[in-house]
Each structure stands twice: as structure tokens, then as C-alpha cells.
Amino acid sequence: MKTANIRKNRVYYISLLGLLLALACVLYYLESLFITPFFPLPGGKVGIANIISLIAVYILGLREALIITLFRVIIVNIILGGFLNISFYLGFFGGMGSTIVMGILAKSKISLISNSIIGALTHNFIQLIIVMFFVFHSAILYYAPFLIVFGAITGFFNGVVGGYVLKFIEKYIGGEL
């Protein structure tokens, strides 16, 4: 089912947006509970909720992926008690920036995995800039090489998982997206 066909069926379209948003919120919340405390980098995350933004870019388009990312960041930060603190700004600007980049690259011939890696690196780069703004010190850039390595690894992982999910959705819907 093509994006245009999805938008024609308003009930299906709104249900799919709601389902993807709910799934992104749950994944983000679960990651904050289980994965983050064991991640080797302080403040580092795998970013499994960004898989949903990646999938949304390919299924629905950039506009819808941005809507999902925006509301995910707002909802989860309200639930976790971090609304309008540094965590909110890191998630908001990093998520929106990486979703925009992935949306632009989705229209090119770049692979989904490469798109995910570039999206993860964009997310990390934007977050470094935001942290520099709050910390007022450029020494935070020494953290960049570690974030680049882990961003590439987690971007690859999220791209692989996103690819499998997209193949499953294509099979379920019965055609190419």
C-alpha cells in the first residue's frame, strides 16, 4: 500500500499514526528502564524508539515521522518528569534533526541501514551541540569520537531491525511500500 493510499483511508491512517506513536513511547520508556543503566557511555542510549521514526519515514513520509517524533519526545518527557529540562531538549532537537535527515535521505538511493547510521550520527552531533550550549564548554567535543563509534553501531542495529520490520509490514499489507 502506497503512502497516498494510506492517507485516503482516514481511519487506517490515524490508527497507524496512533499505533506508531504509542509504540515509540513504549520503546523509549522501556529503554530508559532497562538498557540505559547498562550502556557503557554516560547518557548513551541505543535509541530503539528511533526505529519507529525510521519506519514512519518509509511508510508514511517525513511529515508524519516528524509528528511521531515530536509527540513521542513530549509525551515521554512528561511521563518521566523531564519536560523542558536538558533531556527534553536533547531528545527534541536530536530526534527532529535526525528524522529530517532520514526523511531527506529516504528519497535517495541510500540503503535503509546507511540512512539509519547517518540519522544516529546526526542525532549525536546535534545532542553534542545542545550539551555545549548548556555546559558552556567546548571540551564536551572530546566525547564525540565515542559517540561516533556507538552511534554507528546503534544506527546499524536500528537499521537492521527497521529493515526487518518494514519487510514484515510489506508482507502483511501485501505489496511494496
Side-chain angles (χ1 to χ4, degrees), residues 66-129:
L66 286 170
I67 290 169
I68 290 168
T69 302
L70 170 69
F71 284 108
R72 170 186 53 93
V73 170
I74 291 171
I75 291 168
V76 172
N77 276 286
I78 288 173
I79 290 170
L80 295 176
F83 189 63
L84 297 180
N85 69 8
I86 191 168
S87 170
F88 171 79
Y89 293 111
L90 291 173
F92 176 77
F93 289 111
M96 296 300 273
S98 65
T99 301
I100 290 169
V101 168
M102 290 187 301
I104 292 168
L105 292 176
K107 296 181 187 300
S108 69
K109 298 288 183 192
I110 193 168
S111 73
L112 185 129
I113 293 173
S114 297
N115 194 355
S116 179
I117 292 169
I118 294 169
L121 294 174
T122 301
H123 199 283
N124 289 345
F125 177 72
I126 291 171
Q127 286 185 329
L128 277 175
I129 291 171

Side-chain angles (χ1 to χ4, degrees), residues 27-33 35-37 39-50 72 76-77 80 87 91 120 123-124 127 143 147 150-151 154-155 158:
L27 288 173
Y28 185 94
Y29 182 73
L30 289 175
E31 181 178 26
S32 71
L33 290 177
I35 297 175
T36 304
F39 203 65
L41 289 176
K45 289 185 172 188
V46 177
I48 56 177
N50 293 323
R72 170 186 53 93
V76 172
N77 276 286
L80 295 176
S87 170
H123 199 283
N124 289 345
Q127 286 185 329
Y143 199 46
L147 287 179
F150 282 105
T154 59
N158 290 343

Side-chain angles (χ1 to χ4, degrees), residues 138-152:
S138 62
I140 196 73
L141 291 177
Y142 291 116
Y143 199 46
F146 302 106
L147 287 179
I148 290 169
V149 170
F150 282 105

